[in-house]
Amino acid sequence: NAGVMQNPRHLVRRRGQEARLRCSPMKGHSHVYWYRQLPEEGLKFMVYLQKENIIDESGMPKERFSAEFPKEGPSILRIQQVVRGDSAAYFCASSPRETGGPQMKLFFGSGTQLSVL
Amino acid sequence: KNEVEQSPQNLTAQEGEFITINCSYSVGISALHWLQQHPGGGIVSLFMLSSGKKKHGRLIATINIQEKHSSLHITASHPRDSAVYICAVRDNYQLIWGAGTKLIIKP
């Protein structure tokens, strides 16, 4: 059973380009979370999705950022017109069940390092 | 004051030593995670705790809910244990992360 798969591992973009980050949750997991780790900082929650639904996007910047988790295929975090401040490691986690309660275990991907030139 | 405090920030030890990393938090939580971040940046979830103690191989994690404190122990430490260890407390799906403890085990 493969773990949470993120790709690409490293992504380099020039200012103004679009970045697409992919996350395939573990088999059987229908809940996906995206986190961003800025240099010298801890991870910050961005968005929580279930299949075809955005449950909570309170941590997502209001502009240029969007996320989806379609019925088929991976979850996509999309950043339009990237700026240098978007350079960070983006981590995805999945869980097999609904939020809340002590039994929800998160499984993390290895992350995508986005570098904006 | 940070909501999650880890100590020490940096720890260097000799191979074979018993390692303890501490985590104190000031918020209400539904669970506490111990994670390991390797130099390449990848994050591995080590433990999720809501009470008591868990053991996996040479790793032991404990939590005291009343005192709002958790510890991660490594027995018979090995150079491959060198990494950043992160304590993160969870309220629902929001995670609050500690600053991490950078551990270096010398052969």
Side-chain angles (χ1 to χ4, degrees):
Chain A
N1 186 13
V4 178
M5 304 299 292
Q6 285 189 250
N7 67 83
R9 188 77 176 89
H10 295 97
L11 181 62
V12 179
R13 285 288 178 267
R14 296 191 180 277
R15 281 181 296 173
Q17 291 185 319
E18 179 180 285
R20 280 182 179 246
L21 289 64
R22 294 174 184 78
C23 170
S24 296
M26 287 185 69
K27 187 178 180 181
H29 288 193
S30 57
H31 303 259
V32 166
Y33 313 81
W34 284 95
Y35 298 87
R36 176 166 65 173
Q37 185 176 33
L38 293 167
E40 309 302 323
E41 294 186 22
L43 273 74
K44 306 289 185 186
F45 166 76
M46 297 183 75
V47 61
Y48 161 43
L49 309 105
Q50 294 181 19
K51 286 278 187 182
E52 299 184 280
N53 283 306
I54 296 175
I55 307 302
D56 184 345
E57 55 183 349
S58 60
M60 196 109 90
K62 293 287 186 288
E63 298 178 352
R64 302 188 296 108
F65 284 71
S66 62
E68 63 176 11
F69 188 17
K71 187 177 180 181
E72 300 291 337
S75 175
I76 306 288
L77 180 67
R78 182 181 176 207
I79 311 172
Q80 294 178 290
Q81 298 175 315
V82 296
V83 300
R84 287 209 173 124
D86 297 332
S87 295
Y90 291 82
F91 288 93
C92 164
S94 72
S95 73
R97 53 185 293 151
E98 294 176 1
T99 59
Q103 299 305 313
M104 186 192 89
K105 186 173 175 70
L106 293 175
F107 296 81
F108 284 88
S110 295
T112 292
Q113 181 65 49
L114 173 65
S115 297
V116 179
L117 304 179
Chain B
K1 189 180 188 302
N2 293 328
E3 292 168 304
V4 180
E5 296 274 359
Q6 276 187 247
S7 63
Q9 283 190 314
N10 295 282
L11 179 57
T12 300
Q14 291 296 131
E15 183 174 356
E17 285 189 40
F18 181 81
I19 303 298
T20 296
I21 299 171
N22 295 300
C23 174
S24 296
Y25 55 93
S26 57
V27 295
I29 67 170
S30 56
L32 182 145
H33 295 259
W34 280 103
L35 307 122
Q36 182 190 53
Q37 186 168 29
H38 286 279
I43 291 179
V44 175
S45 179
L46 298 174
F47 294 103
M48 186 193 72
L49 297 161
S50 54
S51 64
K53 176 180 174 179
K54 286 190 176 180
K55 185 176 187 295
H56 181 70
R58 295 180 293 107
L59 300 176
I60 303 166
T62 63
I63 187 169
N64 185 317
I65 297 294
Q66 287 73 31
E67 295 185 4
K68 295 190 173 182
H69 181 269
S70 176
S71 294
L72 177 68
H73 305 285
I74 305 174
T75 62
S77 59
H78 189 276
R80 64 174 175 265
D81 297 327
S82 298
V84 175
Y85 292 83
I86 303 168
C87 167
V89 298
R90 177 161 60 79
D91 175 16
N92 206 8
Y93 51 82
Q94 301 279 354
L95 285 175
I96 305 171
W97 300 71
T101 294
K102 185 174 182 180
L103 174 66
I104 297 173
I105 304 296
K106 293 185 175 180

